[in-house]
């Protein structure tokens, strides 16, 4: 038994060299532990101050420290369903055609509703565009161009020329200041 103890005390331990030196230091420090016993409770409270927020709610629920929200919600739903069934009789509601149409189309996207309301011509244009054929829209584009451009008006070009003239004037003023 003594040879086993001697062998265990010779095991290398990082920072201490051997297990014997680590054990000796540990014993000396353990004698001072009663002096710090009064700090155990505040130390534990301080540690929990930092650790407790990192603990997940699932773990807190499993320890019983937090109520289970799913169980409470299920119990509340059962209670309200029982209360509603016992108190309120079934009521039928008459809706106008417009309201009924909105209810029927509520789950559909706006694109689906718009597509149902399109004319046959609009649907044909949409199919052609989806295939990549934009020839159908050429007439519309040409009409738009004619309406949006007023022949003989080169206002944009005039503005650019005016800006260039202003820049030239500034350069001339700078040249006069340098002289």
């Amino acid at each position: 038994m003594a040879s086993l103890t001697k062998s265990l005390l010779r095991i290398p331990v990082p920072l201490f060299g051997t297990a014997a030196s680590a054990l000796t230091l540990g014993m000396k420090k353990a004698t001072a532990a009663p002096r710090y016993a009064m700090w155990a409770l505040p130390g534990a409270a301080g540690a929990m101050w930092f650790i407790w927020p990192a603990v997940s709610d699932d773990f807190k629920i499993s320890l019983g420290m937090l109520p289970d929200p799913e169980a409470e919600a299920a119990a509340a739903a059962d209670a309200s369903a029982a209360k509603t069934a016992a108190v309120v009789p079934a009521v039928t509601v008459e809706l106008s055609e417009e309201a009924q149409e909105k209810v029927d189309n509520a789950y559909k996207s706006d694109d689906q509703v718009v597509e149902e309301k399109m004319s046959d011509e609009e649907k044909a244009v949409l199919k052609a565009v989806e295939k990549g054929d934009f020839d159908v829209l050429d007439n519309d584009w040409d009409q738009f161009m004619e309406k949006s451009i007023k022949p003989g008006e080169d206002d944009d070009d005039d503005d650019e020329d005016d800006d260039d003239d202003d820049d030239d004037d500034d350069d001339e003023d700078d040249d006069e200041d340098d002289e």
Side-chain angles (χ1 to χ4, degrees):
M1 185 73 154
S3 66
L4 179 61
T5 307
K6 285 183 181 180
S7 298
L8 289 177
L9 291 176
R10 287 189 213 144
I11 294 176
V13 176
L15 298 178
F16 296 103
T18 64
S21 59
L23 187 61
T24 304
L25 181 66
M27 295 294 282
K28 284 185 178 181
K29 294 297 179 182
T31 58
R35 285 192 314 199
Y36 300 109
M38 63 183 173
W39 290 100
L41 184 62
M48 289 307 294
W49 184 286
F50 290 104
I51 295 170
W52 190 251
V55 176
S56 70
D57 287 341
D58 293 335
F59 182 72
K60 292 175 188 176
I61 291 169
S62 69
L63 291 178
M65 300 198 133
L66 283 179
D68 188 4
E70 293 173 1
E72 287 181 359
D78 291 344
S80 66
K83 191 183 283 186
T84 304
V87 176
V88 180
V91 177
T92 57
V93 177
E94 294 293 325
L95 297 175
S96 66
E97 288 182 26
E98 181 182 347
Q100 187 62 41
E101 181 181 340
K102 287 182 180 181
V103 170
D104 293 340
N105 293 330
Y107 67 92
K108 295 180 182 177
S109 70
D110 291 337
D111 295 337
Q112 290 173 330
V113 173
V114 169
E115 214 171 284
E116 289 177 1
K117 293 181 180 180
M118 281 200 238
S119 68
D120 291 336
E121 181 181 331
E122 290 171 332
K123 287 181 183 179
V125 169
L126 187 61
K127 286 182 183 178
V129 169
E130 285 176 356
K131 292 179 183 176
D133 181 20
F134 294 96
D135 294 338
V136 180
L137 299 173
D138 282 344
N139 291 336
D140 294 335
W141 290 339
D142 291 339
Q143 289 174 0
F144 175 78
M145 284 296 289
E146 288 176 16
K147 289 179 183 177
S148 63
I149 295 176
K150 296 179 182 175
E153 183 179 79
D154 291 331
D155 195 24
D156 293 338
D157 294 335
D158 293 341
D159 287 342
E160 288 177 12
D161 291 340
D162 290 341
D163 290 341
D164 290 342
D165 290 342
D166 290 340
D167 291 340
D168 293 339
D169 292 341
D170 291 340
D171 292 340
E172 291 173 7
D173 291 340
D174 290 340
D175 292 340
E176 291 173 8
D177 292 339
D178 292 338
E179 293 174 5

